[in-house]
């Protein structure tokens, strides 16, 4: 299989800010215009400020929306 993939599914991968840029770059490299990215996230200690930095990085490349029924 070669990118772009139709789906990228990831869980529990956001916990260190130092890897976020590389993580997002990897997801961009694996995705294309029709790719759906499902990211399961639970805050495990990031401050609200750092959490905002994480999602701002994702929002540079992806349309970030909480799943229906989930409090953002």
């Amino acid at each position: 299989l070669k990118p772009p993939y139709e789906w990228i599914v990831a869980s529990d991968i956001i916990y260190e800010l130092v890897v976020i840029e590389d993580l997002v770059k990897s997801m961009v490299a694996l995705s294309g215009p029709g790719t759906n990215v499902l990211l399961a996230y639970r805050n495990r200690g990031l401050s609200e400020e750092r959490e905002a930095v994480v999602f701002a990085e994702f929002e540079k490349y992806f349309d970030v929306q909480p799943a229906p029924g989930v409090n953002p």
Side-chain angles (χ1 to χ4, degrees):
L1 298 173
K2 293 182 181 183
Y5 297 107
E6 187 174 346
W7 283 90
I8 298 173
V9 179
S11 177
D12 294 322
I13 59 171
I14 298 173
Y15 49 87
E16 291 288 339
L17 283 182
V18 297
V19 300
I20 295 304
E21 189 175 335
D22 288 335
L23 172 64
V24 173
K25 285 180 182 178
S26 295
M27 287 192 173
V28 169
L30 295 171
S31 64
T35 300
N36 296 288
V37 178
L38 179 61
L39 176 61
Y41 170 73
R42 180 176 180 179
N43 189 316
R44 301 195 188 275
L46 289 179
S47 67
E48 286 184 27
E49 185 177 273
R50 288 181 174 204
E51 190 176 66
V53 169
V54 168
F55 285 101
E57 190 66 28
F58 277 98
E59 288 171 344
K60 289 179 183 176
Y61 304 95
F62 300 102
D63 178 19
V64 177
Q65 299 177 16
V70 175
N71 294 328

